[in-house]
Amino acid sequence: MAELHIIGELVGATNFGQDNLFGVWNIQKGSHWTHVSGLEKGQTQVDKRGEDQVNVWAHPIDIHYSTSVCVGWPKVVLQVWFQDGYGRNDFGYGVVNIPSQSGTFDLTCSIWKPLGSLKDRIMEMIIGGSSQVKDDSIVWNGEDRHKLTTMTVGTVHLHLNVLLRNFSKFDVITTNQQSHNDDDL
Amino acid sequence: MYREDIDDLLADIVNNPSSEKLSPYVQKESDRSTLRSEPALQQEQQTKPKRKKKKRSRREENADDEEEIESEEKEIISEEISETQSNPETPLIQYRWGSNLIKDLLVHRLSTVTNNDDFFTNTTQKPINCNSNSEFPRSYPEDTSRTKSTPTSMYIMANFGRIFENEKNLNTGVDRWEGEEYVLCIIRAMPDGSFVMKPGLSLLTDPSANQQEQNNNQKEEQIRFNESLLQTKEKSFMFRTEDGNVYEYTIHLHNDNPINEEKMLLRRQLMNTINDRAVSMRNNLIGSDFVMLSNENHCRIHVFGKISYGLDFDCNDAIFVKFTLKMPDHQHEVDSDFISQFKLQDASQTKITSSTQASFPLVTLNYQIRSKVNYDFPFEFHFSSHVQTNHNHLHHHKPKLLFEVISVDGWGRRRVIGYGRYTLPTDPYYCQGVRVPTWKPKGSIRQNLRDFYLGGGPELEDVTYVDVPTGHKDKILNKFGFLSEPSGTLVLDVQTIVQRKKTNQNLWQFGRIKPSLLDINRVEDAIKKNAMIKAEEERRRQEELEEEARRLEEELEALNALKADIEQDGLVDEEDVLQQQQGYQDEEMVDDDIDLPHEIPEQEEHSQVIGELLSPIPEMEVEEQQEERVETHGRQGRRGRRRRNQQVDGEDIDY
């Protein structure tokens, strides 16, 4: 089987404008993907924002997968929690496709936050706390997303090293590198 | 490898020595077991599963709960007793330690618990008050059922007290002492024959290093051990007495017995087999199968991506993006045999049209005002196609994504604020931040007003107008007369993975197909082609040289003819000559005299040059030749121009 190594870190978040931020991540993959080693989910520490609007997490990610198909390429599903001074939580969601080429990648993930009805929004303004997605699959699946109203919040940054193994053995081509070499012939 | 894995493996090996062909010595073990009498075997088989159970239960136990372990052990012992009592007739083979080498090695092993250091932390440890006359105090109720010959725990203690030298114990003859004792280490014998040591040994030796040692010389071993003592980090433990003194100590294994080479070898082999097994287990987990292509011409294309965000849409309402996958339309293909035809895999499950959530934009003032709308909407398409190898057609029909950006205001009115199109890459591709510019149709002023108050601006009836509209048959796609204005930008992440046979690789480089390289013997072709190109270059150079020579010859002839004319009739009009002279002077500011007699000696030079050019040039003199040729070029050019001027009567022609 072909193998995929994902080594990197959850660098941090920008443009949230919130002080106490932490991220919860897990990896979604197809049913034919086998988890060999490494942690598939995690939660960062709560980080206070620096002066440059950057919350740093530097949370490590190191996973080893093996697969028999290309369908269901893994994704990092992110959930960002932000706490205000009274301990009330807000939630943001986002998803990142793991690159299909080997190399080093700086990835960004645009985070959105679900909005409820007008009443909910007023309640949120006065009492605090925000609506939350009931089923996380909406974050990485994309089905039935049109029913949702959301708000743009910020960006989460990931730094990933991706290693592929044995993919070329099964005629799976992910880069144009080979074809360039053929051109030189 | 994790310790638990090793434990599992060891348990497996111990319990089912004959089930797996591990190594010769384990097989010996199984052979030996056949020597036993049958009832003994039966009994062994009966006890096997129980043993296993015990081990499992032991592993599940938390090491800290001593009482539970104690009770567990009690149970086990009682079980064993009951077993022996129930079958008193069966002859039990009595083992002596070391009589069964392998089994002893396997069964009696020392596992150290180094991770649970909470036992010996910096906190003050409660001392045990004792003196030599009293019995050793225990923190747990003493087990009465156990016989004294089966100790379960061994304590290594540190004594802080004083010795009364004069007062001797009459029974033991030892000086009486009083004081406090602190526990340094507990070694506990488990019923399955293993030991648990808490805390572990200070020196953490690497088992892989042991494997590499082939030479078993005892001296060397000792030296290496000493070296490793110096090199490896020692793990020190500490405890604090009630006085507040902190003591630090290390625990080393000091083995008085000489190293048994056989045992060491066996141990190494065992570790090797365990490692091999762990590797094979991992390989099993990884597996080796992969979904292959059905035939040589089959090709799978997987496109993943997401709509990350939209930029600069001039709208403060919620915006959502609706996108449609437009498959290539092959109906209008002139040739029916195109290279490939895309088919959507599991088309029933894939949504061809889907829309993102409605998201409110966030306006940022970072250097410039930008409104950003986050979507993070993932999409995934899987195509399969078949390649026909004998066709050189370019593939120019690819699946496309057509975008509609729609805003929803507080009244629920929808308004299209952007149309866009993106052609999905069908080659291996990865890009983060693909920008798709969008435009929106522009209405008249009246329409705009209506749009502002009532909602519902101009929009396309058919989304495919963004691309080539469906049913378009003309030769030209004319969109003139349609007014639009630019709108925001959509940003996508797109990646493509292609699974195809390598023989078709060149064919699949769309837009870069080289017909000559399509054959199987591509290398030969390429070489031939290279040779051809070289020959062509050679030929061209030869031709150039010949042409130059011809030109020079012509000139020579012309000059000769001119000279003959002048000599023969001498009736050339003086005006003509004057005109010629004026022409020369007009055209070239710097000029040498054009007295004809001057040119005559040059003829020889020319002829020489021509001769050299036509003859094969020796390699060493190439540079000189070239210089000469440059010179002659200059002259020839000038003269040629003069001559032409003469012919067309001073008309200026640029050459």
Side-chain angles (χ1 to χ4, degrees):
Chain A
M1 272 206 234
E3 291 165 61
L4 172 73
H5 292 266
I6 306 151
I7 304 158
E9 62 171 4
L10 207 59
V11 176
T14 52
N15 287 336
F16 272 87
Q18 297 274 345
D19 249 352
N20 297 321
L21 227 69
F22 71 96
V24 181
W25 63 273
N26 67 317
I27 294 212
Q28 281 300 332
K29 58 186 194 296
S31 54
H32 292 278
W33 288 70
T34 318
H35 169 242
V36 180
S37 65
L39 297 170
E40 277 189 294
K41 42 176 93 168
Q43 186 172 319
T44 70
Q45 78 276 16
V46 181
D47 191 71
K48 254 192 140 179
R49 160 183 54 156
E51 276 183 15
D52 48 352
Q53 302 274 323
V54 179
N55 302 64
V56 181
W57 291 327
H59 189 87
I61 298 173
D62 185 351
I63 316 167
H64 180 192
Y65 283 121
S66 75
T67 183
S68 59
V69 283
C70 294
V71 181
W73 199 268
K75 295 167 187 168
V76 183
V77 180
L78 283 160
Q79 200 176 339
V80 182
W81 294 49
F82 23 112
Q83 273 184 333
D84 63 5
Y86 304 102
R88 301 174 303 193
N89 289 325
D90 272 6
F91 308 94
Y93 301 91
V95 67
V96 183
N97 285 312
I98 283 164
S100 56
Q101 299 184 348
S102 44
T104 306
F105 300 92
D106 282 314
L107 304 169
T108 57
C109 177
S110 319
I111 303 291
W112 50 267
K113 176 185 129 182
L115 281 182
S117 60
L118 190 66
K119 190 184 153 196
D120 290 341
R121 265 178 256 174
I122 292 166
M123 292 280 278
E124 189 190 321
M125 213 164 68
I126 299 163
I127 299 169
S130 79
S131 36
Q132 190 179 350
V133 168
K134 223 185 241 175
D135 185 6
D136 275 354
S137 72
I138 205 172
V139 180
W140 49 270
N141 204 348
E143 276 178 23
D144 296 336
R145 213 38 118 78
H146 59 275
K147 295 171 189 166
L148 209 65
T149 313
T150 63
M151 222 178 93
T152 303
V153 271
T155 311
V156 168
H157 299 265
L158 284 96
H159 181 81
L160 292 183
N161 297 293
V162 179
L163 291 170
L164 303 176
R165 189 181 177 223
N166 282 347
F167 274 96
S168 58
K169 200 166 131 191
F170 302 111
D171 303 323
V172 177
I173 305 153
T174 55
T175 45
N176 266 324
Q177 202 67 43
Q178 274 174 320
S179 50
H180 281 309
N181 289 340
D182 272 13
D183 254 13
D184 298 338
L185 194 133
Chain B
M1 195 161 51
Y2 298 108
R3 182 158 290 284
E4 279 179 34
D5 293 346
I6 299 171
D7 281 359
D8 282 339
L9 285 168
L10 274 168
D12 277 357
I13 295 162
V14 170
N15 289 322
N16 308 313
S18 55
S19 64
E20 293 276 340
K21 287 181 181 175
L22 273 173
S23 55
Y25 50 87
V26 176
Q27 279 181 343
K28 263 186 212 165
E29 165 68 20
S30 66
D31 291 340
R32 213 184 54 77
S33 69
T34 53
L35 295 174
R36 297 181 200 173
S37 56
E38 281 186 4
L41 260 181
Q42 279 172 9
Q43 194 224 352
E44 200 184 63
Q45 280 164 6
Q46 280 169 6
T47 52
K48 262 176 197 169
K50 278 179 186 170
R51 267 187 171 183
K52 223 176 196 173
K53 194 179 132 199
K54 282 172 216 163
K55 253 163 224 167
R56 292 242 169 84
S57 64
R58 199 268 298 172
R59 233 171 283 125
E60 285 159 13
E61 285 292 348
N62 194 345
D64 291 344
D65 299 337
E66 291 179 7
E67 287 183 9
E68 277 184 32
I69 291 171
E70 288 295 313
S71 61
E72 174 77 13
E73 281 170 19
K74 219 186 292 174
E75 270 179 32
I76 291 153
I77 287 156
S78 61
E79 265 177 28
E80 278 173 359
I81 289 162
S82 65
E83 270 167 20
T84 48
Q85 280 169 358
S86 63
N87 298 329
E89 293 169 6
T90 52
L92 281 168
I93 295 169
Q94 289 200 344
Y95 289 104
R96 271 182 59 220
W97 165 256
S99 67
N100 186 355
L101 198 65
I102 303 113
K103 192 140 188 174
D104 287 340
L105 256 180
L106 289 170
V107 173
H108 296 274
R109 63 194 191 281
L110 190 73
S111 51
T112 61
V113 185
T114 43
N115 292 331
N116 299 343
D117 282 339
D118 52 337
F119 189 76
F120 291 92
T121 49
N122 214 358
T123 53
T124 313
Q125 198 188 325
K126 207 181 168 189
I128 303 162
N129 290 313
C130 64
N131 56 49
S132 61
N133 292 330
S134 60
E135 219 174 316
F136 184 76
R138 289 193 168 179
S139 58
Y140 48 86
E142 202 176 334
D143 186 9
T144 49
S145 68
R146 194 188 298 117
T147 52
K148 278 184 181 176
S149 59
T150 56
T152 52
S153 302
M154 187 177 96
Y155 288 78
I156 300 171
M157 313 284 285
N159 177 26
F160 294 86
R162 68 192 183 100
I163 302 164
F164 301 93
E165 288 183 0
N166 301 328
E167 303 173 32
K168 275 198 176 181
N169 192 338
L170 294 171
N171 295 332
T172 54
V174 180
D175 291 340
R176 192 176 80 82
W177 55 268
E178 264 181 20
E180 291 157 348
E181 278 190 325
Y182 294 89
V183 179
L184 296 184
C185 177
I186 303 171
I187 300 169
R188 187 174 294 133
M190 286 302 174
D192 63 347
S194 63
F195 293 97
V196 171
M197 186 177 166
K198 194 175 168 188
L201 294 169
S202 302
L203 184 70
L204 302 170
T205 46
D206 190 11
S208 62
N210 267 334
Q211 283 173 24
Q212 289 165 5
E213 294 169 4
Q214 293 298 325
N215 197 351
N216 270 352
N217 204 340
Q218 203 176 332
K219 270 188 183 176
E220 280 187 14
E221 197 104 334
Q222 192 62 38
I223 290 161
R224 209 172 294 131
F225 182 74
N226 290 338
E227 278 176 358
S228 64
L229 258 183
L230 291 172
Q231 284 168 5
T232 45
K233 280 182 195 168
E234 276 186 352
K235 199 166 191 181
S236 64
F237 311 103
M238 51 168 55
F239 67 93
R240 181 180 287 176
T241 63
E242 273 193 336
D243 314 339
N245 295 329
V246 179
Y247 293 89
E248 198 175 315
Y249 64 99
T250 56
I251 304 172
H252 293 290
L253 186 68
H254 180 72
N255 202 353
D256 278 338
N257 297 327
I259 293 163
N260 191 339
E261 284 190 16
E262 244 179 82
K263 267 190 187 179
M264 289 299 288
L265 199 69
L266 278 176
R267 187 174 289 169
R268 232 165 262 153
Q269 281 176 357
L270 194 69
M271 285 311 289
N272 277 339
T273 48
I274 288 168
N275 279 344
D276 288 351
R277 233 175 141 187
V279 168
S280 70
M281 267 168 72
R282 193 161 158 275
N283 284 342
N284 279 340
L285 190 64
I286 288 167
S288 60
D289 58 328
F290 202 86
V291 178
M292 300 303 280
L293 300 165
S294 56
N295 57 33
E296 284 239 322
N297 300 335
H298 190 208
C299 171
R300 279 200 199 94
I301 298 162
H302 309 273
V303 184
F304 310 92
K306 68 170 184 181
I307 303 173
S308 307
Y309 54 91
L311 268 183
D312 300 337
F313 284 105
D314 187 19
C315 180
N316 289 325
D317 301 321
I319 305 168
F320 72 91
V321 181
K322 186 177 159 194
F323 65 91
T324 314
L325 178 74
K326 193 199 171 202
M327 294 300 290
D329 190 11
H330 291 291
Q331 288 172 7
H332 311 297
E333 194 85 23
V334 184
D335 277 334
S336 59
D337 45 356
F338 31 82
I339 289 172
S340 72
Q341 184 169 15
F342 288 103
K343 276 181 197 162
L344 208 59
Q345 276 181 356
D346 41 270
S348 58
Q349 287 175 20
T350 314
K351 263 190 171 179
I352 288 186
T353 304
S354 47
S355 60
T356 68
Q357 77 269 28
S359 186
F360 281 97
L362 184 79
V363 180
T364 54
L365 289 165
N366 201 4
Y367 303 117
Q368 53 173 326
I369 300 168
R370 307 212 89 169
S371 85
K372 192 183 169 194
V373 207
N374 285 3
Y375 294 111
D376 249 29
F377 186 89
F379 57 81
E380 204 169 304
F381 300 110
H382 307 285
F383 307 103
S384 75
S385 69
H386 284 269
V387 194
Q388 292 170 17
T389 42
N390 295 328
H391 296 276
N392 300 340
H393 295 273
L394 290 176
H395 188 281
H396 51 278
H397 290 279
K398 296 183 185 180
K400 282 164 187 169
L401 284 180
L402 310 179
F403 295 101
E404 288 173 84
V405 187
I406 302 165
S407 74
V408 188
D409 67 4
W411 306 99
R413 293 177 307 185
R414 294 184 173 195
R415 184 176 296 158
V416 179
I417 55 167
Y419 287 104
R421 179 192 61 233
Y422 180 67
T423 311
L424 291 176
T426 47
D427 269 349
Y429 184 73
Y430 174 80
C431 187
Q432 202 195 8
V434 178
R435 285 174 177 250
V436 180
T438 63
W439 50 267
K440 62 183 175 186
K442 194 178 180 184
S444 61
I445 298 169
R446 200 178 150 183
Q447 246 172 342
N448 283 349
L449 278 173
R450 196 164 162 275
D451 178 21
F452 183 77
Y453 288 109
L454 298 174
E459 60 184 82
L460 297 176
E461 271 183 20
D462 184 13
V463 195
T464 54
Y465 187 74
V466 174
D467 193 45
V468 181
T470 44
H472 177 78
K473 280 176 185 175
D474 296 341
K475 282 185 178 177
I476 298 166
L477 176 62
N478 187 9
K479 290 189 181 178
F480 184 76
F482 180 77
L483 277 177
S484 72
E485 54 188 339
S487 190
T489 312
L490 282 176
V491 180
L492 318 178
D493 290 359
V494 185
Q495 47 187 321
T496 306
I497 305 167
V498 181
Q499 190 179 12
R500 64 181 182 231
K501 285 278 176 209
K502 272 170 195 141
T503 48
N504 294 330
Q505 203 162 329
N506 261 345
L507 190 73
W508 275 91
Q509 290 173 27
F510 302 130
R512 280 189 290 155
I513 289 178
K514 294 172 184 168
S516 65
L517 294 184
L518 279 176
D519 298 336
I520 303 160
N521 300 327
R522 283 181 309 176
V523 182
E524 284 184 15
D525 274 11
I527 292 165
K528 273 181 197 169
K529 199 183 166 188
N530 269 346
M532 269 170 64
I533 289 165
K534 272 182 188 170
E536 180 81 10
E537 277 177 6
E538 195 72 24
R539 201 170 55 80
R540 208 177 297 145
R541 225 174 68 195
Q542 201 71 31
E543 270 180 10
E544 273 176 16
L545 290 173
E546 278 174 15
E547 200 180 337
E548 206 170 296
R550 214 181 297 130
R551 218 186 296 147
L552 287 169
E553 237 172 334
E554 271 177 21
E555 194 178 338
L556 206 67
E557 276 174 20
L559 283 168
N560 279 334
L562 198 68
K563 189 186 158 197
D565 279 354
I566 293 163
E567 279 179 355
Q568 272 180 14
D569 33 53
L571 298 170
V572 187
D573 292 340
E574 286 182 355
E575 290 178 5
D576 278 350
V577 177
L578 278 172
Q579 268 182 6
Q580 279 171 24
Q581 285 177 355
Q582 278 170 1
Y584 302 152
Q585 281 164 1
D586 285 347
E587 196 191 346
E588 296 175 18
M589 299 308 291
V590 189
D591 205 348
D592 40 356
D593 278 335
I594 19 112
D595 287 340
L596 288 170
H598 267 282
E599 290 182 3
I600 294 162
E602 282 183 12
Q603 282 174 16
E604 287 174 20
E605 205 182 315
H606 276 299
S607 61
Q608 259 186 5
V609 169
I610 291 157
E612 277 167 4
L613 284 172
L614 287 173
S615 63
I617 302 159
E619 282 183 10
M620 298 298 290
E621 296 170 16
V622 169
E623 284 185 13
E624 293 172 21
Q625 293 286 345
Q626 276 176 349
E627 280 175 18
E628 269 188 22
R629 221 186 301 156
V630 170
E631 278 179 22
T632 49
H633 259 294
R635 277 180 196 155
Q636 180 260 332
R638 250 182 253 151
R639 302 220 182 282
R641 219 179 291 150
R642 273 181 212 165
R643 223 175 72 75
R644 270 160 202 142
N645 271 337
Q646 200 181 351
Q647 278 175 355
V648 290
D649 284 338
E651 239 182 54
D652 270 319
I653 293 174
D654 280 337
Y655 276 92

